[in-house]
Amino acid sequence: MEIQDTGRALDWNEAVEEKAYEPLKAGIYRFQVTGFMRKRHEGSENLSPCPMAELNVEIDGGAEGKRTIKHNLFLHTKTQNFLAQFFMSIGMPKGSDDKVIMDWSKVPGSKGSCELYVDEFTTRSGNVVKTNKIKKFISPTAPATNSSWQAGSF
């Protein structure tokens, strides 16, 4: 049985270290929603103001470990396809009208599959940072390519 490091509280005067973040390779992974907050998107050049769901998504990287990603879902007509993908990935069925009802009460703790990519950007101080982002949510029947997930092991 593997014991997972759950961390500990730090003392105010304790020395701390910066740990390098190594993103997972691009691919399909299993995820679990570990946190969910209702927020508001105040608008941008590409999207008018709308409600927004901020998700904490824990990605199962198998031998590479777990990573937690913050991911926003915008409740807007421009993002309906992405919203439908998310809810179908966590097992919400389409209705007879081919629409998926967004049942937010089922989001915390939900599990599904997603495709990750590695995003690379340069900070203001000139450091190159790599991080994972979700490219799309996928059908629960698609196999994970880069995690320890096994079919039928929800």
Side-chain angles (χ1 to χ4, degrees), residues 21 23-25 67 69 116-118 130-134:
Y21 174 82
L24 297 169
K25 293 181 274 186
R67 306 289 192 281
I69 297 173
L116 291 184
Y117 70 96
V118 178
K130 292 181 182 179
T131 186
N132 287 121
K133 292 198 175 171
I134 296 174

Side-chain angles (χ1 to χ4, degrees), residues 33-139:
V33 177
T34 58
F36 159 60
M37 288 183 62
R38 294 173 191 256
K39 293 192 168 189
R40 178 115 184 119
H41 173 64
E42 296 304 327
S44 65
E45 185 177 311
N46 298 321
L47 198 64
S48 60
C50 62
M52 175 182 82
E54 182 183 87
L55 305 177
N56 288 336
V57 181
E58 184 178 80
I59 306 293
D60 179 1
E64 300 299 314
K66 295 181 179 181
R67 306 289 192 281
T68 299
I69 297 173
K70 280 205 183 295
H71 183 79
N72 295 328
L73 292 173
F74 300 96
L75 282 70
H76 195 281
T77 55
K78 286 185 172 182
T79 63
Q80 286 184 83
N81 188 48
F82 207 74
L83 289 163
Q85 283 179 3
F86 170 72
F87 279 99
M88 287 188 298
S89 79
I90 64 170
M92 297 290 169
K94 285 185 181 180
S96 58
D97 57 0
D98 246 10
K99 294 181 180 179
V100 180
I101 294 176
M102 298 187 296
D103 187 349
W104 294 99
S105 70
K106 295 203 171 38
V107 170
S110 62
K111 296 178 181 182
S113 295
C114 65
E115 183 177 345
L116 291 184
Y117 70 96
V118 178
D119 185 34
E120 186 175 308
F121 60 94
T122 304
T123 65
R124 290 181 186 156
S125 61
N127 295 328
V128 176
V129 176
K130 292 181 182 179
T131 186
N132 287 121
K133 292 198 175 171
I134 296 174
K135 181 177 184 176
K136 66 180 179 177
F137 293 98
I138 59 173
S139 163

